[in-house]
Amino acid sequence: MTNRITVLGSINLDTTYHVNRMPQPGETIAASNKTSAAGGKGANQAVAAARSGASTAFIGMVGGDDAGQFMRTALAENNVDISNVFIQKDIGTGSAAIILNQQGQNSIMVYGGANHEITPATINQPAVIDTIRNSDFLIAQFETPQAATLAAFKIAREHGVKTILNPAPAKEVSAELLAYTDLLVPNETESEALTGITITDAKSLAQTGAHFAHLGVHNLLITLGSKGVYLYQEKQATVLPAYKVQAIDTTGAGDTFIGSMTAQLKPDFFNLEEAVNYGQTASSLAVQGLGAMPSIPTAAQIAVAQAKNLTSTDA
């Protein structure tokens, strides 16, 4: 059965500057190349879900500019329903400036623009409520206002829709929003921002899982980069190893993981470990290409990688 996924989130036009190394404070360096591509954490996650076969809808906002039209077209061409992607004519479309070095590591500066104009009133429109109500999963991040996310999560809970929160970029999260979150997916930095616990070893991972459980989060995935994903549930805690590949560009890897994983996930989370492994395969393919959205793999590409017995040691 095809998962029905709605993503509430950001839409950005990404511009990437390719450099040999990251600049030091106050230093000016030359970029070897400049590229532009569709992006934004929300848009990336929606496209990842759609390319993995999920029926995907989007709730978001763009500006009344060329970038906004470009992004709406990019989502629609990737089979994402843009009926609830609104246009705010007086605000620019969100954008991101990315500095990417030769090792595939990046630094990102984000201009929120129209993404910050999403409010609870946006969410409480009948068409938006219907979209959420008819979903299996609702995904959100922190590049759009938390008040809107809380309003959406409350609607989801009322209709039995599972909620997935990616607390990125790192910032404080309200206890009320966590109470409406069924699955929390931070990375190490975001996890530390929420708990105050620095993840260094198995003990600190266990402390982190217990801390989130105390806050009411009973399904937790912490992405650990090259070390894999920490999965914590009430009866299970384990680290699922990452696939070792040569990364060219890590931009959007976490988004690819979340969208692809959710496309495979059962609403009762029974197959969470299997879905995580699928998402890790997807993100391992994504980091081998340039750009966030352009490098997101399809279900067919992921199936080929899995058929080749892609493992953490021989990829």
Side-chain angles (χ1 to χ4, degrees):
M1 181 176 177
T2 301
N3 277 355
R4 299 167 299 170
I5 297 172
T6 295
V7 179
L8 163 62
S10 56
I11 299 172
N12 295 331
L13 181 62
D14 292 348
T15 299
T16 301
Y17 297 85
H18 302 258
V19 297
N20 293 329
R21 59 174 178 80
M22 294 297 182
Q24 299 298 313
E27 181 185 18
T28 300
I29 64 173
S32 60
N33 194 15
K34 183 181 83 166
T35 55
S36 295
K41 296 191 70 62
N44 294 338
Q45 291 171 12
V47 168
R51 288 185 184 173
S52 278
S55 174
T56 308
F58 200 90
I59 304 168
M61 194 168 291
V62 297
D65 49 21
D66 290 343
Q69 183 56 50
F70 173 81
M71 290 303 305
R72 283 171 57 86
T73 299
L75 288 169
E77 288 179 344
N78 279 280
N79 299 313
V80 175
D81 182 347
I82 61 169
S83 301
N84 295 313
V85 175
F86 304 104
I87 300 173
Q88 176 61 264
K89 293 184 178 180
D90 299 328
I91 304 291
T93 298
S95 60
I98 302 165
I99 302 174
L100 176 68
N101 71 13
Q102 288 185 322
Q103 287 71 48
Q105 295 302 310
N106 58 49
S107 293
I108 305 174
M109 296 169 290
V110 176
Y111 163 68
N115 294 314
H116 290 174
E117 301 302 309
I118 302 172
T119 67
T122 310
I123 303 303
N124 285 310
Q125 298 178 69
V128 176
I129 293 172
D130 281 347
T131 296
I132 296 172
R133 179 174 58 84
N134 290 315
S135 303
D136 298 306
F137 296 95
L138 173 63
I139 304 173
Q141 327 77 38
F142 279 173
E143 287 184 342
T144 50
Q146 283 192 43
T149 300
L150 178 59
F153 275 26
K154 285 181 175 180
I155 294 168
R157 180 65 57 86
E158 180 182 351
H159 294 285
V161 177
K162 296 299 184 181
T163 57
I164 299 176
L165 179 62
N166 172 217
K171 60 180 69 175
E172 290 186 9
V173 57
S174 71
E176 187 177 15
L177 181 55
L178 283 179
Y180 282 93
T181 298
D182 294 308
L183 174 62
L184 187 69
V185 191
N187 64 19
E188 294 169 275
T189 301
E190 294 146 6
S191 174
E192 182 176 353
L194 295 177
T195 66
I197 301 171
T198 303
I199 295 174
T200 57
D201 53 18
K203 181 179 179 181
S204 56
L205 275 173
Q207 291 172 336
T208 299
H211 185 98
F212 278 119
H214 179 72
L215 295 175
V217 177
H218 300 295
N219 298 290
L220 172 70
L221 300 174
I222 303 177
T223 56
L224 305 171
S226 62
K227 296 186 290 291
V229 175
Y230 176 65
L231 184 157
Y232 183 94
Q233 294 177 294
E234 291 186 51
K235 297 181 180 180
Q236 182 181 15
T238 185
V239 174
L240 302 174
Y243 302 117
K244 296 187 183 299
V245 297
Q246 183 62 47
I248 295 175
D249 182 359
T250 58
T251 307
D255 301 331
T256 298
F257 167 76
I258 291 170
S260 303
M261 180 269 298
T262 307
Q264 299 298 308
L265 188 60
K266 303 296 184 185
D268 60 3
F269 297 147
F270 177 79
N271 70 329
L272 183 57
E273 183 171 337
E274 178 185 345
V276 167
N277 285 325
Y278 180 93
Q280 288 210 90
T281 303
S283 61
S284 74
L285 294 173
V287 300
Q288 297 178 69
L290 287 174
M293 197 175 290
S295 65
I296 296 171
T298 64
Q301 291 169 321
I302 296 168
V304 168
Q306 290 183 317
K308 289 181 178 178
N309 251 344
L310 190 65
T311 70
S312 61
T313 57
D314 62 10

